[in-house]
C-alpha cells in the first residue's frame, strides 16, 4: 500500500482532491492508521483511475457516486454499460441544446448586420420560431407552413434554403447584399450603382435557388405579399418595394 502523498504524485492529483473524494464517499482509504495516515492499495488506486476516466468523459462526481453505488447491487459490466449508455443520451441532448444555442447566437448577429439595430422583441420572435423546428443532423432546415404548387425538385430546393440563424455562407452573402440595399434606398433605383447591386443580388439569389428562376419569383412573391408582420426579419415593406423597383428597371434594361 502507498500513502496519500505518494498516490497524489503517482496519479497526478492533489491531496486536497483525494480528501474531497473521501468526503464524498467515492474513494475511501484502504487503511487509516492510529496517527491518521491514509494508505491506498491497488484496488483503491484502480478505483481512482476509474474516477478520473469517468470525469474525462463528462461524468459529475454525483453521477460517479451513483455508478459506484449501483455496482454493489448489479453485475459490474452491466452497470457500466447502463451508465455509459445514459451518458451518451445526456451528451446527445446537450449537443441538441448547444446546436440551438449556436443558431440563436448566429441569428442575433445576422439581424444586427441586416437591420443595423436590434429590438429584443424581434429576436424573441425569431428564437421562438426556431425553437419550434426540428434539428436535422445539427441543422434546422427551412420550412413553409402553406402548401405550394411546386414540383418535388422545387420543394427539395426550398428545403435546402438556409434559415436565419444558420452559418451557411450563402446566407451570409445574401444578408450582406440586403444590407447594401438598405444603405442605397435614398438613391434612384435605376441609377448605375443601384443597378450594379441589383445584378449582384439577382445573381446570388438565382444561385440560392439553384438556377430555378420560376421558383425564385414564387418565393419573392411570398415575401412581398401584404402582411402586418415582416415575413423575413428585416425585410420591411419599404425594403421589398425598393427591391421591386430595382428589379423592374433591371429586367426592363435586359429586354431592350
Amino acid at each position: 500500500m502507498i500513502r496519500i502523498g505518494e498516490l497524489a504524485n503517482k496519479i497526478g492529483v492533489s491531496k486536497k482532491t483525494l480528501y474531497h473524494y473521501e468526503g464524498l464517499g467515492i474513494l475511501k482509504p484502504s487503511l487509516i492508521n492510529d496517527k491518521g495516515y491514509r494508505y491506498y492499495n491497488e484496488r483503491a488506486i484502480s478505483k481512482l483511475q476509474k474516477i478520473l476516466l469517468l470525469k474525462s468523459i463528462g461524468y459529475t462526481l454525483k453521477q460517479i457516486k451513483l455508478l459506484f453505488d449501483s455496482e454493489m447491487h448489479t453485475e459490474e459490466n452491466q452497470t457500466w454499460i447502463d451508465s455509459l449508455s445514459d451518458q451518451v443520451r445526456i451528451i446527445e441532448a446537450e449537443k441538441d441544446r448547444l446546436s440551438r444555442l449556436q443558431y440563436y447566437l448566429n441569428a442575433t448577429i445576422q439581424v444586427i448586420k441586416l437591420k443595423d439595430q436590434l429590438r429584443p422583441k424581434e429576436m424573441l420572435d425569431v428564437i421562438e420560431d426556431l425553437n419550434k423546428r426540428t434539428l436535422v443532423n445539427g441543422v434546422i432546415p427551412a420550412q413553409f407552413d402553406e402548401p405550394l404548387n411546386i414540383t418535388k425538385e422545387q420543394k427539395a430546393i426550398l428545403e435546402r434554403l438556409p434559415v436565419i440563424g444558420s452559418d451557411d455562407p450563402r446566407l451570409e452573402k445574401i444578408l450582406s447584399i440586403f444590407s447594401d440595399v438598405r444603405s442605397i434606398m435614398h438613391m434612384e433605383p435605376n441609377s448605375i450603382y443601384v443597378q450594379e447591386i441589383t445584378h449582384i443580388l439577382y445573381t446570388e439569389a438565382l444561385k440560392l435557388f439553384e438556377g430555378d428562376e420560376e421558383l425564385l419569383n414564387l418565393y419573392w412573391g411570398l415575401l412581398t405579399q401584404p402582411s402586418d408582420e415582416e415575413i423575413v426579419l428585416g425585410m420591411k415593406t419599404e425594403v421589398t418595394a425598393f427591391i421591386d423597383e430595382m428589379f423592374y428597371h433591371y429586367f426592363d434594361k435586359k429586354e431592350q
Side-chain angles (χ1 to χ4, degrees), residues 96-117:
D96 183 86
R97 187 187 72 81
L98 290 174
S99 293
R100 288 189 176 279
L101 181 58
Q102 181 182 14
Y103 260 80
Y104 300 159
L105 293 173
N106 281 336
T108 304
I109 292 168
Q110 290 161 358
V111 171
I112 292 172
K113 286 180 179 178
L114 185 61
K115 304 194 71 170
D116 296 323
Q117 60 179 319

Side-chain angles (χ1 to χ4, degrees), residues 134-170:
T134 303
L135 276 174
V136 180
N137 297 322
V139 175
I140 300 178
Q143 68 177 28
F144 299 88
D145 298 326
E146 296 182 8
L148 302 174
N149 186 24
I150 55 177
T151 66
K152 285 185 178 179
E153 291 76 12
Q154 289 176 323
K155 185 175 184 294
I157 292 172
L158 290 182
E159 289 173 348
R160 287 192 289 270
L161 290 176
V163 295
I164 288 288
S166 76
D167 58 2
D168 191 313
R170 299 173 301 162

Side-chain angles (χ1 to χ4, degrees), residues 7-18 21 48 52:
L7 177 60
N9 290 331
K10 180 177 180 179
I11 302 299
V13 297
S14 69
K15 289 170 64 174
K16 183 179 179 182
T17 296
L18 295 175
Y21 291 168
L48 175 58
L52 298 178

Side-chain angles (χ1 to χ4, degrees), residues 234-247:
M235 296 294 288
K236 289 186 174 181
T237 304
E238 60 266 27
V239 178
T240 55
F242 185 75
I243 293 175
D244 273 337
E245 288 189 64
M246 290 166 58
F247 279 128

Side-chain angles (χ1 to χ4, degrees), residues 40-80:
Y40 297 82
N41 60 17
E42 285 297 327
R43 185 175 179 183
I45 295 170
S46 175
K47 193 169 187 179
L48 175 58
Q49 290 169 331
K50 284 183 181 179
I51 293 170
L52 298 178
L53 167 65
L54 291 166
K55 279 176 59 63
S56 74
I57 57 176
Y59 275 67
T60 65
L61 293 176
K62 183 177 179 180
Q63 289 173 315
I64 293 172
K65 187 174 190 316
L66 287 172
L67 173 60
F68 288 166
D69 289 345
S70 298
E71 285 182 349
M72 294 188 294
H73 308 290
T74 313
E75 196 273 321
E76 183 178 1
N77 281 350
Q78 188 57 48
T79 299
W80 276 73

